Amino acid sequence: MADDNAVVDGSAVRVDAGGWGLTWAADDAGCLRQVGLGPEGATAQLGEIPLALFPDAYPTYGGGDALRPPALRITHADGSLTTRLVVEHVSRMVEPGGEHVTMRCRDERFHLHVEHHLRTHPASGVLEQWVEILHEEPGPVRLMSYDSMSPLLLASPDAEVVQFVGGGWADEWRWNEEGLSPGTKSLASFGGVQPHLQAAPMLLLSPSGPGSERSGDSLGCSIQWGGNTRFDLDVRPKGDLAAPSELRLRCGANPLGAEYLLDPGVRFVAPAVAWTWATTGRAEVTRRFHIWTRERVLRDPNRVRPVVANNWEATFFDFDEARILDLIDQSGELGAEVFLLDDGWFGTNHPRDDDTAGLGDWDVDRAKLPNGLAPLADAAAARGLRFGIWVEPEMVNPLSELYVDHPDWVVRDSREPAEHRNQLVLDPLIDEVREFEASVVDRALCDPGISYVKWDANRPITDPGSTQLAPDRQANLWVDQVHATWAVMDEVVRRHPEVELMLCASGGGRTDHATLRRFHEFWTSDNTDPVTRVRMQWACSHFFPAAAMAAHVTRWGGRPIHFGCAVALSGRFGLDLDLLALSSDEWAACRSAVALAKRTQRLVQQGRLVRLVSPMDRADRSRAALACIDPGSDETVLFAYQLEASNRPGPSLMLDWLDPDATYTVTETDLAVAGGAAVTQRSGRELIDGLDWQLTEPETARVWEITPVRG
């Protein structure tokens, strides 16, 4: 139900996000001011201070905050550079699980409107915030920057930020924790298709001092955008060095090279930013984001994701029907639930024997698979497995029939397009390309026995441009290609609603909450070295539940297989191994791990995460421990990892969520030991006081299953 022109408490507009919030108000000139933000933000009182002295809620170029970079910068149809907004009206609409507040502002001179949208989800405490821009000027306007939000807060001298900027491929989710200093720090990604290889579109901020798992103020932000993103942290000291600084946090799509030419009557919707403010540390940020992700983002959140066996690390491009059938046999013997056939199964005149050819020609390579995919899917079904397939519908090799027939289908500027990984990007702004990309999945799913798809994308955009855009709006590609790609993904979901979809882009290149809405999970990284993966998954877990994080056992890093299994079990478990080459001990470890996964994955994927020992600890990065619990039953699965040698004594694992008066069955598993499960009974008080850290050697692990004794 909409309540147009509603204003609460006179001139204040309050948004309760669930445990925190914000208050905005219009001053005498109609300018939007931020009156309150944070734990008491939704109850801030206007008092005697003139509203004109409060900070701009959303600074514009040429507005009141002229000496800082703005959130919004527009070149108007007549060439004017400044934008000055005044509040026009406010509306509130009750929605299932929250409300949608819209504050509409207009330029005081031009026929241009900027709407601030705020969607609450009190059950989680996560707020979604974005802007929409609409105008009726006599010609197009150019959006030079268009941040989705720009709150101002106070930051203490020892405030900290955690950002996840890595070195590109196989280096996602690198934990970077640092203090704030005066000036503007920009954290940005580029490349369009797989930007999150460089920087995940998430941020953790501790404005009151060093970040902590269970105490202190902690903000978590996630930009919901499948393209280039940017966080700007603008710090301005106030008073002496001990005084808090003003911190303006601007976030949204990265406008670098993406100035958007907007026609009259066309609505521009900036990406939504999901964010929350907790007063009890990062654990609370995580709890909120997991609840919100399950309820507002994930497809089929109550479906336990299957145990997947993939052939890629076993065969790469070099396989035939007999080889795949052998791997299917072994996968069934282990107890896997899906067999995924990866890259290399297609190509006729240009067979896909390596990454130089065949991409775009989605007919089965009959030299490798003379009988097509059906016998493989049938063999999988006979062994109790579902069958899955790999596709990369957005890309093409120049050495392909598709490119010979449609060289005009690729993203390009006026130059000859440059190859990257021997391939080019198809232009989704072309109607025929979007239909072709959707049909790639149709063709891959031609056999009814195929019910799982891995959707990959292995190239960034390096020559931005489109034949579908006029010369003066080629930069629109960076925004329009995201929406066009989402339209293809939405069409695939519409055509194949029961098919499970994994999102991949050279690994974790698309780990954003918006694209994930079309998928069930994402491939966290191509880097599956279990020591590195513990740290990657630890970082990723701050925003995503384990159900979304595919984690497979591989040979990366040369680590013991039993250790790799234990690490993968704390995500969505799978295997990517040459199962025919496993030793008897490795086979036993994998078989035990699959059985353990089937017992524990419901808890891992759907339970509440508790992080106990951090592999990011400044003093000792050698260990990690985490638990997944069912708060209703106290059922728990606990993982402990010794990553490296350490001269420090191991910590005690205190399970303080258990009932001290209850008795628990504790099953302790060491996957390095055949039949290595020991079962005991322990009191809740003992477990709360702590389990001793038993691991001393690097690359070792323990898994505990803890179940209350009933009756």
Side-chain angles (χ1 to χ4, degrees):
M1 178 179 67
D3 182 11
D4 288 331
N5 298 312
V7 179
V8 181
D9 292 342
S11 59
V13 176
R14 307 183 190 281
V15 178
D16 186 345
W20 69 288
L22 56 85
T23 297
W24 285 348
D27 65 17
D28 291 342
C31 298
L32 187 61
R33 302 293 182 176
Q34 176 188 302
V35 177
L37 177 68
E40 293 82 34
T43 58
Q45 300 301 309
L46 302 187
E48 301 299 323
I49 301 175
L51 285 171
L53 297 180
F54 285 89
D56 285 357
Y58 187 74
T60 61
Y61 189 74
D65 195 357
L67 300 180
R68 301 186 201 223
L72 181 69
R73 184 162 70 94
I74 296 175
T75 300
H76 295 274
D78 70 352
S80 296
L81 301 178
T82 59
T83 299
R84 295 175 185 168
L85 300 175
V86 295
V87 176
E88 194 170 61
H89 74 81
V90 180
S91 67
R92 293 179 181 267
M93 181 173 291
V94 176
E95 297 181 331
E99 69 171 344
H100 185 167
V101 179
T102 303
M103 178 166 286
R104 185 179 175 93
C105 301
R106 60 172 174 81
D107 188 275
E108 61 184 14
R109 176 184 170 197
F110 297 105
H111 294 290
L112 178 136
H113 290 89
V114 176
E115 294 176 354
H116 297 277
H117 291 260
L118 303 104
R119 176 171 284 138
T120 68
H121 186 237
S124 66
V126 171
L127 174 69
E128 295 180 80
Q129 187 172 341
W130 71 97
V131 299
E132 300 185 12
I133 303 168
L134 183 70
H135 76 94
E136 294 294 345
E137 297 192 24
V141 305
R142 192 173 295 277
L143 309 181
M144 308 301 291
S145 62
Y146 35 86
D147 291 324
S148 298
M149 68 176 202
S150 185
L152 187 138
L153 55 151
L154 295 179
S156 72
D158 56 350
E160 286 185 342
V161 62
V162 176
Q163 38 100 358
F164 309 96
V165 175
W169 177 75
D171 195 23
E172 305 94 322
W173 290 106
R174 180 182 287 271
W175 181 277
N176 299 284
E177 189 173 28
E178 58 187 301
L180 296 174
S181 57
T184 300
K185 183 177 183 64
S186 187
L187 309 170
S189 63
F190 205 59
V193 173
Q194 41 180 215
H196 310 150
L197 294 180
Q198 307 156 46
M202 289 93 192
L203 187 78
L204 291 168
L205 179 64
S206 302
S208 303
S212 170
E213 185 70 12
R214 296 199 183 190
S215 64
D217 286 333
S218 185
L219 281 71
C221 298
S222 171
I223 304 171
Q224 300 181 71
W225 188 234
N228 306 329
T229 60
R230 182 186 69 178
F231 291 99
D232 276 0
L233 298 100
D234 187 272
V235 177
R236 302 296 172 100
K238 305 293 287 185
D240 60 40
L241 294 177
S245 297
E246 288 185 348
L247 168 60
R248 176 75 73 175
L249 174 63
R250 300 187 302 273
C251 43
N254 186 355
L256 177 62
E259 299 84 6
Y260 197 90
L261 200 62
L262 183 67
D263 288 322
V266 176
R267 181 176 290 266
F268 180 90
V269 181
V273 176
W275 65 306
T276 191
W277 186 318
T279 58
T280 53
R282 293 170 181 159
E284 179 61 17
V285 169
T286 293
R287 187 190 72 84
R288 294 180 184 186
F289 263 96
H290 285 198
I291 293 172
W292 174 78
T293 300
R294 291 185 178 112
E295 295 192 10
R296 292 282 177 94
V297 176
L298 278 184
R299 294 182 61 202
D300 303 319
N302 297 321
R303 178 195 294 182
V304 176
R305 277 49 173 159
V307 176
V308 177
N310 192 347
N311 73 296
W312 179 247
E313 297 278 344
T315 67
F316 298 101
F317 295 101
D318 184 16
F319 59 82
D320 57 19
E321 183 178 280
R323 181 85 164 99
I324 297 302
L325 288 173
D326 283 344
L327 289 171
I328 289 173
D329 280 340
Q330 298 302 304
S331 300
E333 181 68 22
L334 274 179
E337 295 165 314
V338 170
F339 183 86
L340 171 61
L341 179 62
D342 214 289
D343 195 358
W345 58 269
F346 52 90
T348 49
N349 294 333
H350 304 285
R352 183 74 166 169
D353 294 330
D354 54 36
D355 66 8
T356 66
L359 197 59
D361 300 343
W362 295 99
D363 293 315
V364 174
D365 181 357
R366 297 287 171 169
K368 291 180 182 176
L369 305 173
N371 301 301
L373 298 174
L376 305 181
D378 291 345
R383 290 154 182 79
L385 295 160
R386 293 161 50 206
F387 190 74
I389 199 78
W390 178 97
V391 296
E392 191 175 359
E394 302 163 65
M395 308 287 167
V396 63
N397 286 129
L399 193 57
S400 67
E401 293 179 56
L402 179 68
Y403 188 70
V404 170
D405 293 341
H406 300 287
D408 56 330
W409 275 15
V410 300
V411 171
R412 61 178 300 171
D413 59 12
S414 60
R415 308 173 193 274
E416 189 65 23
E419 293 182 30
H420 183 92
R421 199 179 180 263
N422 306 301
Q423 61 194 61
L424 302 170
V425 182
L426 293 172
D427 184 354
L429 305 191
I430 301 172
D431 293 343
E432 294 86 351
V433 168
R434 291 196 303 279
E435 176 52 37
F436 170 80
E437 291 177 356
S439 74
V440 167
V441 181
D442 295 342
R443 294 165 71 179
L445 296 174
C446 60
D447 187 281
I450 303 175
S451 61
Y452 184 99
V453 171
K454 178 182 178 181
W455 181 313
D456 210 342
N458 286 299
R459 186 201 195 282
I461 292 174
T462 55
D463 307 280
S466 173
T467 60
Q468 305 303 294
L469 296 170
D472 62 348
R473 57 190 70 202
Q474 290 294 300
N476 286 18
L477 175 78
W478 292 111
V479 169
D480 290 349
Q481 68 90 15
V482 175
H483 291 293
T485 301
W486 283 348
V488 175
M489 294 171 173
D490 290 337
E491 179 61 17
V492 168
V493 172
R494 187 192 68 79
R495 295 181 188 181
H496 308 286
E498 297 305 315
V499 171
E500 220 162 337
L501 297 177
M502 177 206 278
L503 178 62
C504 181
S506 292
R510 278 176 170 159
T511 48
D512 66 280
H513 282 100
T515 309
L516 184 59
R517 283 184 162 87
R518 287 93 180 162
F519 292 80
H520 293 83
E521 62 187 20
F522 53 74
W523 184 231
T524 315
S525 175
D526 281 346
N527 189 333
T528 49
D529 177 345
V531 170
T532 304
R533 263 306 188 99
V534 166
R535 297 186 174 113
M536 283 184 170
Q537 290 168 200
W538 184 275
C540 189
S541 75
H542 285 74
F543 294 92
F544 294 101
M549 294 191 290
H552 288 191
V553 188
T554 75
R555 295 282 186 186
W556 269 59
R559 316 293 184 180
I561 290 294
H562 61 81
F563 180 68
C565 286
V567 171
L569 280 165
S570 62
R572 195 279 291 144
F573 181 78
L575 307 106
D576 201 335
L577 294 163
D578 186 350
L579 301 177
L580 299 167
L582 295 176
S583 70
S584 58
D585 288 344
E586 291 171 338
W587 177 269
C590 289
R591 187 168 186 133
S592 296
V594 171
L596 186 54
K598 291 182 176 181
R599 296 197 304 269
T600 60
Q601 283 282 284
R602 179 188 63 81
L603 258 184
V604 169
Q605 295 178 22
Q606 299 178 355
R608 180 164 70 87
L609 175 67
V610 180
R611 291 184 293 264
L612 296 169
V613 180
S614 173
M616 311 300 185
D617 190 286
R618 292 186 180 96
D620 186 0
R621 290 166 46 91
S622 69
R623 301 180 177 94
L626 57 94
C628 304
I629 67 175
D630 179 348
S633 69
D634 279 354
E635 187 179 355
T636 298
V637 57
L638 171 64
F639 301 92
Y641 305 114
Q642 186 73 42
L643 308 180
E644 302 158 356
S646 176
N647 56 11
R648 292 173 175 264
S652 182
L653 302 176
M654 293 177 285
L655 315 187
D656 57 5
W657 57 88
L658 298 179
D659 180 353
D661 298 321
T663 301
Y664 294 87
T665 298
V666 179
T667 303
E668 179 182 347
T669 299
D670 179 357
L671 291 170
V673 179
V679 181
T680 60
Q681 285 197 346
R682 307 279 290 273
S683 72
R685 174 55 60 195
E686 288 180 273
L687 296 171
I688 291 171
D689 289 343
L691 286 169
D692 292 335
W693 190 272
Q694 303 173 13
L695 305 172
T696 57
E697 296 298 316
E699 300 168 20
T700 54
R702 291 288 189 278
V703 182
W704 289 271
E705 301 164 80
I706 301 169
T707 307
V709 176
R710 303 300 179 190

